[in-house]
Amino acid sequence: MAVILNSDGTPMRKEVLLEEVAAPTMTGVRSVLAGHPAQGLTPPRLASLLRAAEQGDPLSYFELAEELEEKDLHYLGVIGTRKRSVSGLELVVEAADNSKAAQLHADFVRDVLNRDTIQEELFDVLDATGKGVSFVEIMWEKSAKQWTPGRLEWRDPRWFTFAVTDGRTPLLRDGASGMPLPDFKFIFHEVKAKSGIPIRGGLARAISWYYMFKNFAVKDWVVFAEVYGQPIRIGKYHKMATEEDKAVLRRAVGMIGTDAAAIIPDSMMIEFVQAASSGGSSGSGNGGLYSSLANWIDQQVSKAILGQTTTTDAISGGHAVSKEHQEVRLDIQQSDARQLAATLNRQLVRPLIDLNFGPQDVYPKLSLPIPESLDMQAFASAVKTAADAQLKIPAKWVRDKMGIPEPEEDEEVIGNAPLMPAFPQPDTENARARHSGTFALAGAASRPIRDIDQLTEAAIVAADSAATKMIDQVREIMESSSDLADFASRLLDAYPDMDVREMGDVIGEALAVADLAGRAALLDG
């Protein structure tokens, strides 16, 4: 096997891949204990924190981005929705070409990625959706012949920084200027919400301002609710009351607010007055200002993360608006899927192949295709139209599109119709004999049929016998009836016993011939 070179051109020391490089430590710069910059966050502190991140010290920014997901339930919900919409997609691996070696490489990658934990591991890689970047350490395992990733371990981004020269090269914190990440050892993923250096590309940077404003609004809302959520307590005392009496009454009023109990002299009175504003949900006078501001901020966060608000907020707009917003979200999902696939191809698929088969000219390609949304009714109608036009349609393709499995042998099924509609057939051999003329015409399906008048005459002749029998039955009832009312009543009673099978056979045969004539006309151009 050819020697594998590092990105700097030096031969790779494979034994390094078996070491745990970014494990947490009890002391030093990789501690699991974190700060909480969101506590008491103010505009000057937030501005200073974001400036420090872009100048090479992203520690507090990463801590803040983590706190956003812990303290803002709306942000946690929408950022989780966006990440899961990609991590839950099926991984598809395509061979580089049709050669036997390329097929072997693709099969190997598929086997490695066919693991129960892959969705959770991809969810960790997509931690970059909010923070802008994520770091996942590949914990390699080596058997006698194979290198495989035993697990993909999420690493706290606080333990990493970036080279001050370009702001892009990731470094592992080591107490000094930082250590370059070993090749084939990490999956370093970026999610570009905007162009720029990685630390400024995450959604959490922009949303942190909205989080702070919402936090102010919610705090004020809670204070408002504490004040106006309870009735006003008014203590009344006699004009002859002493200062000591007034002090007793003041304590009693306060105790009712906290303990819901108090003792006062007989000569005093406490009156409860319902507050005019009681913390409702609309209008600036009753707390609605705070709820309106918080809801508006949530909608802006939804737009930034999902590209729309229809699936998260109860706003009007109807089906058309919902469909348009869903398309915007699909565009974002496709972008995230492409970015993730590109990262995995570079930092997981290629190392897998190089370590097990040596460096290659071409490599398997991994993708996360988004299943197309199929309108079942429209699809079924289109298939029927194509079948009626005598287009050959593979039944397996139709089943795959509609998610219908191939029935097992002797399995009970619903429906047994082929793609091409079946022609109506007579019920008995006697019917065939009675209407041999019609079937002679039906047998002409292999040759052009052009004379519609002739077909019509043949259908009339074939129907004459059946119609005559039915007419004779009706005439007999009419002649023996006393009046029209009696005729109508007797006709209804006799209808269930009338033999209409012969006429039904004729009509079915006529429809079949008409269908054949139409098909022949199409074939004739």
Side-chain angles (χ1 to χ4, degrees):
M1 183 181 296
V3 175
I4 302 175
L5 300 179
N6 288 315
S7 55
D8 60 3
T10 60
M12 176 178 290
R13 294 175 52 244
K14 294 183 180 179
E15 58 270 20
V16 175
L17 301 180
L18 299 175
E19 300 174 3
E20 193 168 358
V21 176
T25 58
M26 291 293 295
T27 59
V29 296
R30 294 200 299 276
S31 171
V32 295
L33 302 177
H36 296 275
Q39 297 180 0
L41 189 64
T42 62
R45 281 190 58 202
L46 178 57
S48 175
L49 180 154
L50 296 178
R51 255 195 316 270
E54 64 189 74
Q55 292 172 358
D57 183 14
L59 177 62
S60 294
Y61 165 71
F62 285 137
E63 291 175 336
L64 176 63
E66 188 74 18
E67 282 196 280
L68 295 187
E69 296 188 42
E70 296 175 349
K71 293 189 171 184
D72 191 320
L73 297 183
H74 181 80
Y75 177 72
L76 175 65
V78 292
I79 200 73
T81 295
R82 177 161 168 178
K83 289 190 284 189
R84 290 185 180 89
S85 72
V86 176
S87 65
L89 295 175
E90 181 182 1
L91 291 171
V92 175
V93 180
E94 298 177 3
D97 52 47
N98 294 326
S99 66
K100 185 176 180 180
Q103 298 294 331
L104 175 64
H105 298 166
D107 289 340
F108 178 74
V109 174
R110 292 188 193 102
D111 290 341
V112 169
L113 296 180
N114 184 23
R115 47 204 289 163
D116 295 337
T117 59
I118 190 64
Q119 289 191 357
E120 288 76 12
E121 291 167 339
L122 295 183
F123 185 84
D124 287 339
V125 176
L126 289 165
D127 188 42
T129 305
K131 299 180 177 72
V133 295
S134 66
F135 301 86
V136 173
E137 185 171 357
I138 305 175
M139 310 305 294
W140 290 100
E141 295 179 351
K142 186 179 184 301
S143 63
K145 296 181 179 180
Q146 290 183 340
W147 287 81
T148 56
R151 68 184 192 277
L152 304 179
E153 190 74 25
W154 176 84
R155 295 305 188 189
D156 196 323
R158 296 181 302 117
W159 304 340
F160 299 83
T161 185
F162 295 91
V164 295
T165 53
D166 61 7
R168 294 184 177 278
T169 304
L171 303 172
L172 179 65
R173 289 180 179 270
D174 61 356
S177 58
M179 181 184 77
L181 305 184
D183 289 338
F184 290 12
K185 188 58 180 166
F186 287 90
I187 298 176
F188 167 60
H189 183 51
E190 296 180 57
V191 171
K192 291 182 176 292
K194 57 177 287 294
S195 299
I197 60 176
I199 202 64
R200 300 186 68 171
L203 290 163
R205 183 180 177 93
I207 290 172
S208 60
W209 288 100
Y210 284 82
Y211 163 79
M212 181 182 64
F213 299 144
K214 179 182 174 182
N215 197 39
F216 289 158
V218 172
K219 284 182 178 178
D220 292 341
W221 195 358
V222 171
V223 173
F224 178 90
E226 287 180 343
V227 174
Y228 292 99
Q230 302 181 37
I232 300 173
R233 303 171 302 280
I234 300 176
K236 295 183 178 181
Y237 56 86
H238 194 271
K239 62 181 179 180
M240 301 300 293
T242 64
E243 290 300 323
E244 183 180 352
D245 293 336
K246 296 176 183 178
V248 170
L249 182 59
R250 184 178 295 109
R251 287 196 300 272
V253 170
M255 291 172 65
I256 287 179
T258 56
D259 300 337
I263 298 176
I264 61 174
D266 232 0
S267 59
M268 298 179 183
M269 181 179 68
I270 296 178
E271 182 179 337
F272 294 88
V273 179
Q274 186 64 36
S277 302
S278 57
S281 60
S282 64
S284 60
N286 61 4
L289 174 63
Y290 308 114
S291 63
S292 297
L293 178 57
N295 289 334
W296 180 84
I297 289 175
D298 282 347
Q299 289 182 12
Q300 308 317 302
V301 171
S302 294
K303 291 175 186 176
I305 297 175
L306 302 179
Q308 48 91 13
T309 62
T310 305
T311 60
T312 57
D313 304 298
I315 61 176
S316 61
H319 174 72
V321 173
S322 176
K323 183 177 180 182
E324 179 182 352
H325 285 175
Q326 183 64 30
E327 290 174 354
V328 174
R329 179 178 174 179
L330 177 61
D331 182 63
I332 293 175
Q333 185 186 21
Q334 289 173 333
S335 176
D336 286 349
R338 284 194 296 266
Q339 291 181 47
L340 178 60
T343 296
L344 295 177
N345 280 317
R346 290 193 310 269
Q347 303 178 33
L348 182 59
V349 173
R350 180 162 185 163
L352 269 173
I353 299 302
D354 284 357
L355 290 172
N356 289 282
F357 303 99
Q360 307 290 318
D361 293 330
V362 290
Y363 292 83
K365 183 179 180 180
L366 180 149
S367 63
L368 294 98
I370 299 173
E372 60 182 296
S373 179
L374 180 65
D375 186 330
M376 299 286 280
Q377 185 174 354
F379 178 75
S381 177
V383 169
K384 184 179 184 303
T385 301
D388 289 344
Q390 299 191 18
L391 294 179
K392 294 182 178 179
I393 305 173
K396 183 179 184 303
W397 176 78
V398 175
R399 290 193 186 94
D400 291 343
K401 283 286 186 180
M402 302 184 73
I404 301 175
E406 178 75 26
E408 300 290 339
E409 186 176 357
D410 298 330
E411 183 178 8
E412 184 180 2
V413 297
I414 299 175
N416 192 30
L419 287 178
M420 296 294 290
F423 298 140
Q425 296 294 331
D427 293 336
T428 64
E429 291 296 327
N430 292 334
R432 289 191 179 92
R434 286 196 305 269
H435 306 298
S436 58
T438 305
F439 276 93
L441 286 173
S446 60
R447 65 180 187 270
I449 301 176
R450 298 183 179 87
D451 195 343
I452 302 301
D453 291 338
Q454 182 180 356
L455 292 175
T456 304
E457 290 178 7
I460 293 173
V461 171
D464 182 66
S465 174
T468 299
K469 291 180 181 179
M470 294 179 65
I471 292 172
D472 288 343
Q473 287 180 278
V474 173
R475 181 182 292 110
E476 182 180 349
I477 295 172
M478 182 180 66
E479 291 176 349
S480 60
S481 299
S482 59
D483 53 31
L484 287 178
D486 183 39
F487 170 66
S489 175
R490 296 178 62 180
L491 183 62
L492 290 174
D493 292 339
Y495 177 76
D497 297 327
M498 285 188 177
D499 186 3
V500 297
R501 291 177 299 171
E502 188 174 340
M503 179 60 76
D505 292 341
V506 173
I507 293 174
E509 293 162 6
L511 290 173
V513 174
D515 184 79
L516 290 171
R519 294 172 185 270
L522 286 175
L523 293 175
D524 289 345

